[in-house]
Amino acid sequence: MANLETSLKECLGAIDGATAVALVDYTSGMALGTLGGGKSFDLEVAAAGNTDVVRSKLRTIEHLGLKEEIEDILITLNTQYHLIRLLKGRGGNGLFLYLVLDAGRANLAMARHQLRRIESELEV
């Protein structure tokens, strides 16, 4: 099992093209941990804003009566991929990992695979 700091560092170190990562509580909108980002990308604002995306999709699934769970939400921009992965493991209820990737350097399939592995090892 890996702690939060180790998991965030692994996201940036092991996932090609990763530029920022956060663990976010989508009930409050607060980032519990962040790494990366910078002056041109406010990770705290992005993390809080993506809580609305998660909440909206969860409401839609409920209204449709679907018996499904969200694995990932992918948002593609011109130069970036934003990947949201809801945590399923122990203590992960209400949390998601938010990963920002440079689209020119990232392999999206490998990023999803790596993020899934890191999530499975994360101890919250």
Side-chain angles (χ1 to χ4, degrees):
M1 292 289 118
N3 68 24
L4 176 57
E5 182 180 346
T6 301
S7 295
L8 294 178
K9 286 179 181 176
E10 188 172 358
C11 284
L12 288 189
I15 300 175
D16 288 339
T19 61
V21 63
L23 179 67
V24 184
D25 178 339
Y26 64 78
T27 58
S28 69
M30 296 198 51
L32 305 177
T34 63
L35 194 60
K39 292 180 182 176
S40 63
F41 189 84
D42 188 332
L43 190 51
E44 296 279 342
V45 170
N50 278 297
T51 62
D52 292 334
V53 173
V54 171
R55 290 179 196 155
S56 178
K57 191 60 189 171
L58 288 170
R59 267 194 315 276
T60 301
I61 289 171
E62 182 181 342
H63 291 310
L64 291 171
L66 299 177
K67 302 299 181 218
E68 299 283 336
E69 290 184 349
I70 297 171
E71 286 185 21
D72 301 312
I73 298 172
L74 173 64
I75 300 167
T76 60
L77 305 176
N78 292 338
T79 63
Q80 298 176 344
Y81 299 132
H82 293 220
L83 187 58
I84 298 167
R85 177 150 187 92
L86 276 68
L87 272 61
K88 305 284 190 265
R90 297 175 303 277
N93 194 26
L95 303 177
F96 66 89
L97 280 168
Y98 171 57
L99 181 68
V100 180
L101 300 159
D102 178 329
R105 297 182 314 145
N107 177 325
L108 189 53
M110 284 303 296
R112 289 185 68 223
H113 174 74
Q114 291 285 68
L115 194 59
R116 189 175 318 124
R117 180 188 57 75
I118 291 166
E119 177 228 346
S120 73
E121 297 171 359
L122 176 60
E123 182 79 31
V124 181

